[in-house]
Coordinates of all heavy atoms in Angstrom, one line a residue:
K1 N -9.4 1.5 -5.0 CA -10.5 1.4 -3.9 C -9.8 0.5 -2.8 O -9.2 -0.5 -3.1 CB -11.7 0.6 -4.4 CG -12.7 0.4 -3.4 CD -14.0 -0.2 -4.0 CE -15.1 -0.3 -3.0 NZ -16.4 -0.8 -3.5
A2 N -9.9 0.9 -1.6 CA -9.2 0.3 -0.4 C -9.7 -1.2 -0.3 O -10.8 -1.5 -0.6 CB -9.5 1.0 0.8
F3 N -8.7 -2.0 0.2 CA -9.0 -3.4 0.5 C -10.0 -3.5 1.7 O -10.0 -2.6 2.5 CB -7.7 -4.1 0.9 CG -6.9 -4.5 -0.4 CD1 -7.3 -4.3 -1.7 CD2 -5.7 -5.2 -0.1 CE1 -6.5 -4.8 -2.7 CE2 -4.9 -5.7 -1.2 CZ -5.3 -5.4 -2.5
E4 N -10.7 -4.6 1.7 CA -11.6 -4.9 2.8 C -10.9 -4.9 4.1 O -11.4 -4.4 5.2 CB -12.3 -6.2 2.6 CG -13.3 -6.3 1.4 CD -14.0 -7.6 1.3 OE1 -13.6 -8.5 2.0 OE2 -14.7 -7.7 0.3
K5 N -9.7 -5.5 4.3 CA -9.0 -5.6 5.6 C -8.3 -4.3 6.0 O -7.8 -4.2 7.1 CB -8.0 -6.7 5.5 CG -8.6 -8.2 5.3 CD -9.6 -8.4 6.4 CE -10.2 -9.9 6.2 NZ -11.1 -10.2 7.3
M6 N -8.3 -3.3 5.2 CA -7.8 -2.0 5.6 C -8.7 -1.0 4.8 O -8.2 -0.4 3.8 CB -6.4 -1.8 5.3 CG -5.8 -0.5 5.9 SD -4.0 -0.3 5.7 CE -3.8 1.3 6.5
P7 N -9.9 -0.8 5.2 CA -10.8 0.0 4.5 C -10.6 1.5 4.5 O -11.0 2.3 3.6 CB -12.2 -0.3 5.2 CG -11.9 -0.7 6.5 CD -10.6 -1.4 6.4
Q8 N -9.8 2.0 5.5 CA -9.4 3.5 5.5 C -7.9 3.6 5.6 O -7.2 2.7 6.1 CB -10.0 4.2 6.7 CG -11.5 4.5 6.6 CD -12.4 3.3 7.1 OE1 -12.1 2.7 8.1 NE2 -13.5 3.1 6.4
F9 N -7.4 4.6 5.1 CA -6.0 4.9 5.1 C -5.5 5.3 6.5 O -6.2 5.5 7.4 CB -5.6 6.0 4.1 CG -5.9 7.4 4.6 CD1 -4.8 8.1 5.2 CD2 -7.1 8.0 4.5 CE1 -5.1 9.4 5.7 CE2 -7.3 9.2 4.9 CZ -6.4 10.0 5.6
A10 N -4.1 5.2 6.7 CA -3.5 5.6 7.9 C -2.4 6.5 7.7 O -1.5 6.2 6.8 CB -3.1 4.3 8.7
A11 N -2.2 7.5 8.3 CA -1.0 8.4 8.2 C 0.0 8.1 9.2 O -0.2 8.3 10.4 CB -1.5 9.9 8.3
P12 N 1.1 7.6 8.8 CA 2.2 7.3 9.8 C 2.8 8.6 10.5 O 2.7 9.7 10.0 CB 3.2 6.7 9.0 CG 3.1 7.2 7.6 CD 1.6 7.5 7.5
N13 N 3.3 8.3 11.6 CA 3.9 9.5 12.5 C 5.3 9.0 12.9 O 5.5 8.1 13.8 CB 3.0 9.7 13.7 CG 3.6 10.9 14.4 OD1 4.3 11.8 13.9 ND2 3.1 11.0 15.7
Y14 N 6.4 9.6 12.4 CA 7.7 9.3 12.7 C 8.5 10.5 13.2 O 8.2 11.7 12.9 CB 8.5 8.8 11.4 CG 8.0 7.4 10.9 CD1 7.4 7.4 9.6 CD2 8.2 6.3 11.6 CE1 7.0 6.2 9.1 CE2 7.7 5.1 11.1 CZ 7.2 5.0 9.9 OH 6.7 3.8 9.4
P15 N 9.4 10.3 14.1 CA 10.2 11.3 14.7 C 11.3 11.8 13.7 O 11.8 12.9 13.8 CB 10.9 10.8 15.9 CG 10.9 9.3 15.7 CD 9.7 8.9 14.8
T16 N 11.6 11.0 12.7 CA 12.6 11.3 11.8 C 12.1 12.4 10.8 O 11.0 12.6 10.6 CB 13.1 10.1 10.9 OG1 12.0 9.5 10.4 CG2 13.9 9.1 11.8
S17 N 13.1 13.1 10.2 CA 12.8 14.2 9.3 C 12.3 13.5 7.9 O 12.6 12.4 7.7 CB 14.0 15.1 9.0 OG 15.0 14.3 8.3
A18 N 11.6 14.4 7.2 CA 11.0 13.9 5.9 C 12.1 13.3 5.0 O 11.9 12.4 4.3 CB 10.3 15.0 5.2
S19 N 13.3 14.0 5.0 CA 14.4 13.6 4.1 C 14.9 12.2 4.5 O 15.5 11.5 3.6 CB 15.5 14.5 4.2 OG 16.0 14.6 5.5
E20 N 14.7 11.7 5.7 CA 15.1 10.3 6.1 C 14.1 9.2 5.8 O 14.4 8.1 5.7 CB 15.5 10.4 7.6 CG 16.7 11.1 8.0 CD 17.0 11.0 9.5 OE1 17.5 10.0 9.9 OE2 16.5 11.9 10.2
R21 N 12.8 9.6 5.8 CA 11.8 8.7 5.7 C 11.8 7.9 4.4 O 12.1 8.5 3.4 CB 10.4 9.2 6.1 CG 10.3 9.7 7.5 CD 8.9 10.3 7.7 NE 9.1 11.5 8.5 CZ 8.4 12.7 8.4 NH1 7.4 12.7 7.5 NH2 8.5 13.7 9.3
V22 N 11.2 6.7 4.4 CA 11.1 5.9 3.2 C 9.6 5.5 3.0 O 9.0 4.9 3.9 CB 12.0 4.7 3.2 CG1 11.8 3.9 1.9 CG2 13.4 5.0 3.2
Y23 N 9.0 5.9 1.8 CA 7.6 5.4 1.6 C 7.8 4.5 0.4 O 8.2 5.0 -0.7 CB 6.7 6.6 1.3 CG 6.4 7.4 2.5 CD1 7.3 8.1 3.3 CD2 5.1 7.6 2.8 CE1 7.0 8.8 4.4 CE2 4.7 8.4 4.0 CZ 5.6 8.9 4.8 OH 5.3 9.7 5.8
E24 N 7.4 3.3 0.6 CA 7.6 2.3 -0.5 C 6.2 2.0 -1.2 O 5.3 1.5 -0.6 CB 8.2 1.1 -0.1 CG 8.4 0.0 -1.2 CD 9.2 -1.1 -0.8 OE1 9.7 -1.1 0.3 OE2 9.4 -2.1 -1.6
L25 N 6.0 2.4 -2.4 CA 4.8 2.2 -3.2 C 5.1 1.0 -4.1 O 6.1 0.9 -4.9 CB 4.5 3.4 -4.1 CG 3.4 3.3 -5.0 CD1 1.9 3.2 -4.2 CD2 3.3 4.5 -5.9
R26 N 4.2 0.0 -4.1 CA 4.4 -1.2 -4.9 C 3.1 -1.4 -5.7 O 2.0 -1.1 -5.3 CB 4.6 -2.4 -4.0 CG 6.0 -2.4 -3.5 CD 6.4 -3.8 -3.0 NE 7.7 -3.8 -2.5 CZ 8.5 -5.0 -2.4 NH1 8.0 -6.2 -2.7 NH2 9.7 -5.0 -1.9
S27 N 3.3 -1.9 -6.9 CA 2.3 -2.3 -7.8 C 2.5 -3.7 -8.3 O 3.5 -4.0 -8.8 CB 2.3 -1.4 -9.1 OG 1.4 -1.8 -10.1
Y28 N 1.5 -4.5 -8.0 CA 1.5 -5.9 -8.5 C 0.5 -6.2 -9.6 O -0.7 -6.0 -9.4 CB 1.2 -6.9 -7.3 CG 2.2 -6.9 -6.2 CD1 1.9 -7.4 -4.9 CD2 3.5 -6.4 -6.4 CE1 2.8 -7.5 -3.9 CE2 4.4 -6.5 -5.4 CZ 4.1 -7.0 -4.2 OH 5.1 -7.1 -3.2
E29 N 1.0 -6.5 -10.8 CA 0.1 -6.8 -11.9 C -0.2 -8.3 -11.9 O 0.8 -9.2 -11.7 CB 0.7 -6.3 -13.2 CG 1.1 -4.8 -13.2 CD 1.8 -4.4 -14.5 OE1 1.7 -5.1 -15.6 OE2 2.6 -3.5 -14.4
G30 N -1.4 -8.7 -12.3 CA -1.8 -10.0 -12.4 C -1.8 -10.5 -13.8 O -2.2 -9.7 -14.7
P31 N -1.5 -11.7 -14.1 CA -1.5 -12.2 -15.5 C -2.8 -12.3 -16.1 O -3.0 -12.1 -17.3 CB -0.8 -13.6 -15.4 CG -0.9 -14.0 -14.0 CD -0.9 -12.8 -13.2
T32 N -3.9 -12.6 -15.3 CA -5.3 -12.5 -15.7 C -6.1 -11.9 -14.6 O -5.6 -11.8 -13.4 CB -5.8 -13.9 -16.0 OG1 -5.9 -14.7 -14.7 CG2 -4.9 -14.7 -17.0
E33 N -7.4 -11.6 -14.8 CA -8.3 -11.1 -13.8 C -8.5 -12.1 -12.7 O -8.4 -11.7 -11.5 CB -9.7 -10.7 -14.5 CG -9.6 -9.5 -15.2 CD -9.5 -9.8 -16.8 OE1 -8.9 -10.9 -17.1 OE2 -9.9 -9.0 -17.6
K34 N -8.6 -13.3 -13.0 CA -8.9 -14.3 -12.0 C -7.7 -14.5 -11.0 O -7.8 -14.5 -9.9 CB -9.3 -15.7 -12.6 CG -9.6 -16.8 -11.6 CD -10.0 -18.0 -12.3 CE -10.5 -19.1 -11.2 NZ -11.0 -20.3 -11.9
L35 N -6.5 -14.5 -11.6 CA -5.3 -14.6 -10.8 C -5.0 -13.4 -10.0 O -4.5 -13.4 -8.9 CB -4.1 -15.0 -11.7 CG -4.1 -16.4 -12.3 CD1 -3.1 -16.6 -13.4 CD2 -4.0 -17.5 -11.2
Y36 N -5.4 -12.2 -10.6 CA -5.2 -11.0 -9.9 C -6.1 -11.1 -8.6 O -5.7 -10.6 -7.5 CB -5.5 -9.8 -10.8 CG -6.0 -8.6 -10.1 CD1 -5.1 -7.8 -9.4 CD2 -7.4 -8.3 -10.0 CE1 -5.6 -6.6 -8.7 CE2 -7.8 -7.2 -9.4 CZ -7.0 -6.4 -8.6 OH -7.4 -5.3 -8.0
E37 N -7.4 -11.4 -8.8 CA -8.3 -11.5 -7.7 C -7.8 -12.5 -6.6 O -8.1 -12.2 -5.4 CB -9.6 -12.0 -8.2 CG -10.4 -10.9 -9.0 CD -11.6 -11.4 -9.8 OE1 -11.9 -12.6 -9.6 OE2 -12.2 -10.7 -10.5

C-alpha cells in the first residue's frame, strides 16, 4: 500500500535505452512492528 506522502505511483521517462537504465528496488525490514512503523 502506497505511502501517504506518495499516494500514487509515477512512471519515469528517460532518453536512455532500457538496457542502460537502473531501477533500484529496496526492502527494509524492521526488528519489531513498532520500530518498523
Side-chain angles (χ1 to χ4, degrees):
K1 186 175 183 179
F3 278 0
E4 291 179 1
K5 294 300 183 182
M6 189 174 176
Q8 284 91 39
F9 78 94
N13 183 23
Y14 291 117
T16 49
S17 65
S19 61
E20 291 182 79
R21 294 179 221 147
V22 177
Y23 286 59
E24 183 168 356
L25 176 67
R26 289 198 175 200
S27 170
Y28 290 165
E29 299 175 30
T32 68
E33 289 94 334
K34 184 175 182 178
L35 289 169
Y36 155 76
E37 289 168 3

